[in-house]
Amino acid sequence: MVQLTPNPSFSLTIRLETPNRTGMLASVTQAIASEGGNIGHINLLEQSRQITLREITVDAYSTEHAEKIVQAVKALTEIKVVDVYDRTFNLHRGGKIAVQGKIPLKSQSDLSMAYTPGVGRISKAIAEDPEQIYKLTIKQNTVAIVTDGSAVLGLGNLGPGGALPVMEGKAMLFKEFAGVDAFPVCLATQDTDAIIETVKNIAPVFGGVNLEDIAAPRCFEIEAKLRQILDIPVFHDDQHGTAIVSLAALINALKLVKKSIEDIRIVINGAGAAGIAIARLLRKAGTNKICLCDSKGIVSKGRAGLNPEKQEFAVESSGTLADALVDADVFLGVSAPGVVTPEMVRSMAKDPIVFAMANPIPEIQPELVTGDVAVMATGRSDYPNQINNVLAFPGIFRGALDCRATTLTSTMYLEAARAIASLVKTSDLDKENIIPSVFDTRVATAVAGAVAHAARQEGVTI
């Protein structure tokens, strides 16, 4: 496999002491480079006539790679490694979010209005007119990020504790990109009915529910039942966020290769939450030539034991992923590392589009097919065209909360995808620029507007 690109996920800081002599820093940087480390900031902390104390930031591509870099520096004579720390772990110490009051409490008067006895008047007002909860509490702008920790990122079943750092990060993104207050709710159960009942019981606090990292196929049932019993938007981001951003990227990629979405043949590898949702949204967008694959190959009607979601997209043909890719126009991967080979890509139709979104290691490394693809996208931030859900979910909830949507629909997802795609001007469209940056401040506003408009058109607002 091609060596992975060093990235900030495995970033470390090395504090070292060297003799204050010409060439000492050069020997350190050479040692780091020899192990494939990527040097960032170099900070001079202290210097005397005898010694120099510096901190060097280095990106690696794995924990093992980081350790090799450190050992290479320690092996240098006259170099003393004072300290080494993992920057990612340091960033998470103490958690990443906090609850902060919006009003000052500096006097007895403030306290008597914010809390007892004055707050009693507000409680009575809501009890008498439940609609007042949206005006007088945090419900109007608050989302629950609910998980059972059964499918955390690509790491598997880590449980609620292992999921919490991810949900904290999600809450940060909600606030940063759309001004939505969100809070992690990590449940100590993986029972479908228990999850549904718990979310139902906590729903009065929240204006929306973002389901996250819940394994398929339970995630489908949980979302469907919650949508039936709740009058607030319920959104499983692993499904619909991925589908929305994938479609947005595909819309622009097809412009580059001058192909119509109605005519192309698409292979999706990965038949879990994301794969099924992508297939459904692509069908909504106008394509019916979809071949869904899982770890056993093509999802065929002749195969026994298919769940209802896989049955929905089962086809007459059978075979391997390699068989499916022959003459395909598009490959969308939400599966596993390294399952696609260069030969498989070369068997695709002219000007193939490859979205290898397995993270952190894609289905095929972009370096292996540079000259064989028309457009390449991944889920990683260190390659062009990152398919990142943060382009979708903050704006989805911003729009839904603003218009008091009672549910979310496939039309709203379709319009969100089109809004994201529209932000890349035709003049700026390029094989390495088919999707806006996650830091493009226009994205959440555009998505929110599209979602709110679609909700009003479909009559699902209050």
Side-chain angles (χ1 to χ4, degrees):
M1 179 176 286
V2 175
Q3 179 174 296
L4 296 177
T5 305
N7 64 86
S9 297
F10 295 98
S11 180
L12 63 151
T13 294
I14 305 172
R15 179 176 291 194
L16 48 86
E17 182 180 289
T18 66
N20 186 6
R21 198 165 65 239
T22 301
M24 299 283 30
L25 178 59
S27 67
V28 174
T29 59
Q30 186 175 5
I32 294 171
S34 69
E35 290 294 339
N38 189 20
I39 297 174
H41 293 292
I42 300 177
N43 295 326
L44 178 63
L45 302 179
E46 184 182 328
Q47 192 170 47
S48 68
R49 291 183 63 185
Q50 287 76 36
I51 63 100
T52 299
L53 187 66
R54 287 187 174 90
E55 282 189 343
I56 300 179
T57 298
V58 184
D59 287 350
Y61 57 78
S62 68
T63 303
E64 295 75 18
H65 183 215
E67 181 58 27
K68 286 182 179 180
I69 293 169
V70 173
Q71 292 305 319
V73 175
K74 286 183 175 180
L76 297 172
T77 57
E78 299 188 278
I79 305 295
K80 179 183 178 182
V81 175
V82 178
D83 194 13
V84 178
Y85 62 85
D86 186 310
R87 296 179 67 226
T88 299
F89 271 81
N90 270 27
L91 182 145
H92 285 79
R93 293 193 193 284
K96 303 187 295 293
I97 60 174
V99 175
Q100 184 174 353
K102 294 169 64 176
I103 59 173
L105 292 176
K106 296 183 177 180
S107 67
Q108 190 65 41
S109 174
D110 293 336
L111 188 60
S112 65
M113 288 189 291
Y115 195 51
T116 184
V119 72
R121 295 179 57 213
I122 308 303
S123 296
K124 286 179 64 178
I126 293 171
E128 292 167 2
D129 179 7
E131 276 296 301
Q132 293 296 314
I133 195 171
Y134 279 93
K135 295 179 180 179
L136 299 172
T137 74
I138 62 172
K139 186 179 178 76
Q140 62 176 308
N141 194 53
T142 305
V143 169
I145 307 173
V146 177
T147 187
D148 64 358
S150 59
V152 179
L153 302 176
L155 303 173
N157 190 345
L158 302 185
L164 181 54
V166 181
M167 304 310 122
E168 285 186 8
K170 199 88 174 183
M172 290 180 67
L173 299 178
F174 267 111
K175 188 66 173 179
E176 180 68 24
F177 292 106
V180 173
D181 295 317
F183 197 82
V185 180
C186 301
L187 304 178
T189 179
Q190 294 185 0
D191 178 79
T192 296
D193 292 335
I195 292 170
I196 292 167
E197 190 65 18
T198 301
V199 176
K200 173 187 172 183
N201 288 335
I202 66 172
V205 179
F206 301 99
V209 175
N210 184 99
L211 301 174
E212 190 79 18
D213 290 354
I214 299 174
R218 290 182 304 110
C219 60
F220 300 115
E221 182 181 355
I222 291 168
E223 183 187 49
K225 287 192 175 179
L226 286 174
R227 286 185 169 186
Q228 289 175 4
I229 62 179
L230 297 181
D231 61 354
I232 57 176
V234 178
F235 182 80
H236 185 211
D237 185 47
D238 302 300
Q239 289 186 63
H240 311 301
T242 307
I244 290 165
V245 184
S246 298
L247 176 57
L250 183 59
I251 289 170
N252 284 337
L254 290 173
K255 292 177 184 176
L256 285 173
V257 299
K258 296 179 172 57
K259 294 182 181 181
S260 167
I261 197 166
E262 291 83 9
D263 299 329
I264 58 172
R265 192 167 76 82
I266 300 173
V267 174
I268 300 173
N269 196 50
I276 295 295
I278 290 170
R280 286 172 173 167
L281 191 58
L282 289 173
R283 188 171 57 191
K284 173 79 174 178
T287 185
N288 286 306
K289 299 174 184 176
I290 298 171
C291 182
L292 186 67
C293 297
D294 60 14
S295 59
K296 297 178 181 179
I298 296 171
V299 176
S300 171
K301 289 182 179 179
R303 194 201 297 178
L306 295 178
N307 63 38
E309 289 75 28
K310 289 186 181 182
Q311 289 175 4
E312 184 180 338
F313 291 96
V315 295
E316 296 292 343
S317 60
S318 61
T320 65
L321 174 60
D323 296 327
L325 279 173
V326 175
D327 294 327
D329 297 283
V330 177
F331 169 78
L332 295 172
V334 279
S335 52
V339 295
V340 175
T341 66
E343 291 72 27
M344 291 160 70
V345 172
R346 287 192 281 270
S347 77
M348 295 174 68
K350 182 183 177 183
D351 294 329
I353 295 168
V354 174
F355 290 1
M357 297 180 282
N359 222 343
I361 304 173
E363 284 81 0
I364 185 166
Q365 290 293 132
E367 297 90 340
L368 293 175
V369 288
T370 301
D372 299 316
V373 296
V375 182
M376 180 86 192
T378 71
R380 291 175 59 119
S381 60
D382 51 352
Y383 291 111
N385 301 327
Q386 184 190 19
I387 307 295
N388 193 321
N389 290 15
V390 74
L391 289 166
F393 68 82
I396 292 286
F397 275 97
R398 179 73 280 153
L401 292 170
D402 287 348
C403 72
R404 287 283 307 277
T406 56
T407 190
L408 295 168
T409 68
S410 58
T411 299
M412 293 157 79
Y413 302 153
L414 181 62
E415 293 307 316
R418 288 171 173 166
I420 294 169
S422 72
L423 295 177
V424 181
K425 296 178 182 178
T426 304
S427 58
D428 296 331
L429 200 57
D430 180 82
K431 65 182 296 183
E432 294 191 349
N433 184 38
I434 60 169
I435 199 80
S437 163
V438 297
F439 296 106
D440 188 330
T441 56
R442 302 172 299 163
V443 174
T445 302
V447 171
V451 166
H453 178 74
R456 294 187 184 100
Q457 291 291 105
E458 293 195 293
V460 293
T461 63
I462 293 177

